[in-house]
């Protein structure tokens, strides 16, 4: 997923132009900016790219989640359902809004399991947040059907899946809102940054005003009228906007490169006995940032990982990952926060408890799963070497 590999002259030029104009702020400075609004342009181009009618740039993918949840009216007393395999930011944002995260199992799509979702909906569920993990689609159509039937809006955490589509429709545009991250390891990077997209003008308006202290953004400019509600500051700056515009122009080529590199390795891995692949709802639309596969047992996965590491091409064992896997979020299980009151874990109605063993299916699936991040810079020689390693390791299994 690494856009950082393709930071080049274009980005330098775009950033220098912002510095020469001397306008770092996305709003105001009309006299100095000569009609140039880089953050606004990034929003317009990102909306056009994804097919959403509205896009709001923010400071990070975490901020995007926070802003989107706030725009949807999520707060204390609500439950928000998400999955036990995601980056910690997903549930941090939910807790930060005052709501309580409820975790679902993932299935072999490595994303939210629709069957478990059905079991976890209660009369307190205010929002469902599936995460399109590792560049590919969640079972979003099934999830949307369940959500619609229950009358609950969906927010898609699309932080890892810029450039990914399902039957030609960009992920992040299926639910009421979608969020993206442009941090240092994401496909499209601004160093730090995020985006909220929606087809709902009211949710967009809420998000836009919330991310700018609640300042009225209608009918003209900002802060000219009153405020409808309190907000915060999650504004993106012009330097990030310039980086975003430049990187977005490269996104299709990044995705095409990832797909070609991934296909070469997948073909080789398919010949390894006992290997099966992550379920992809639409392989043609996969942004191909990762190649994820399963072994028949955790022991086989560990053995295969050991052999790959000896050959100098280590794979990621998700079952042991402390950033993305529910069983290893010790601070969540401990309910640890800096607040002296114990908030957001200690609540008037009792403590929110998270048992490390609560998601056995997720744990079992991740412990059989290995993956490689697909790099843009791999050339033919590197791919050939990796293919040879796969063949050698397969023979030793
Ligand atoms: C990266 C990521 C985020 C958070 O994005 P930041 O820009 O780092 O704040 C949220 N959700 C997922 C699934 C991510 O991978």
């Amino acid at each position: 997923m690494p856009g950082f590999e393709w930071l080049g002259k274009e980005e330098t030029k775009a950033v220098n132009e912002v510095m020469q104009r001397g306008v770092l702020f996305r709003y105001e400075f009309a006299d100095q900016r000569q009609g140039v609004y880089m953050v606004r342009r990034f929003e317009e181009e990102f909306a056009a790219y994804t097919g959403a009618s509205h896009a709001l740039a923010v400071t990070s993918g975490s901020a995007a989640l926070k802003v989107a949840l706030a725009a949807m009216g999520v707060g204390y007393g609500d439950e928000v359902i998400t999955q036990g395999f995601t980056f910690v930011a997903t549930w941090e944002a939910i807790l930060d809004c005052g709501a309580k995260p409820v975790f679902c199992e993932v299935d072999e799509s490595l994303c939210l399991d629709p069957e478990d979702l059905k079991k976890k909906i209660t009369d307190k569920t205010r929002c469902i947040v599936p995460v399109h993990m590792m560049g590919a689609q969640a079972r979003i159509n099934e999830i949307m059907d369940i959500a619609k039937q229950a009358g609950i809006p969906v927010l898609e955490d699309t932080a890892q899946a810029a450039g990914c589509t399902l039957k030609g429709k960009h992920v992040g545009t299926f639910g009421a809102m979608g969020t993206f991250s442009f941090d240092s390891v994401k496909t499209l990077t601004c160093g730090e940054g995020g985006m909220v997209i929606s087809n709902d003008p009211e949710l967009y308006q809420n998000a836009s005003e919330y991310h700018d202290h609640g300042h009225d953004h209608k009918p003209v400019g900002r802060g000219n009228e009153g405020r409808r509600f309190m907000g915060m500051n999650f504004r993106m700056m012009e330097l990030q906007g310039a980086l975003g515009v430049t990187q977005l122009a490269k996104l299709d080529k990044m995705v095409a490169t990832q797909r070609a590199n991934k296909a070469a390795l997948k073909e080789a891995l398919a010949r390894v006995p006992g290997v099966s692949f992550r379920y992809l709802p639409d392989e043609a639309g996969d942004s191909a940032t990762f190649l994820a596969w399963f072994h028949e047992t955790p022991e086989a996965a560990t053995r295969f990982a050991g052999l790959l590491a000896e050959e100098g091409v280590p794979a990621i064992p998700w079952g042991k990952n402390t950033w993305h896997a529910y069983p290893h979020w010790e601070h969540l299980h401990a309910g640890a926060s800096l607040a002296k009151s114990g908030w957001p874990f200690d609540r008037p109605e009792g403590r929110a408890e998270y048992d490390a063993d609560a998601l056995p299916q997720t744990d079992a699936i991740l412990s059989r799963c290995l993956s490689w991040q697909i790099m843009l810079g791999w050339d033919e020689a590197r791919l050939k070497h990796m293919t040879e390693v796969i063949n050698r390791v397969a023979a030793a299994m």
Side-chain angles (χ1 to χ4, degrees), residues 46-67:
F46 198 83
Y49 183 87
T50 55
S53 56
H54 298 84
L56 175 77
V58 293
T59 45
S60 70
S62 307
L65 286 162
K66 179 82 202 290
V67 168

Side-chain angles (χ1 to χ4, degrees), residues 1 59-65 83 85-92 131-134 157-161 179-186 191-194 324:
M1 45 191 192
T59 45
S60 70
S62 307
L65 286 162
Q83 60 199 50
F85 179 47
T86 182
F87 182 53
V88 293
T90 314
W91 55 264
E92 285 175 336
V131 187
H132 300 285
M133 283 301 281
M134 298 196 286
D157 183 344
T158 320
Q160 300 191 4
T179 58
F180 293 81
S181 162
F182 311 126
D183 78 17
S184 56
V185 296
K186 301 304 201 291
E192 300 283 359
H324 297 83

Side-chain angles (χ1 to χ4, degrees), residues 82-85 102-106 116 120 325-327 329 332-333 355-366:
T82 189
Q83 60 199 50
F85 179 47
V102 172
F103 292 93
C104 269
E105 302 276 17
V106 299
D116 199 38
K120 299 220 160 129
Y326 179 96
W329 294 330
L332 176 76
H333 307 138
D355 175 1
D357 300 323
L359 299 178
Q361 178 180 308
T362 298
D363 198 16
I365 286 172
L366 293 180

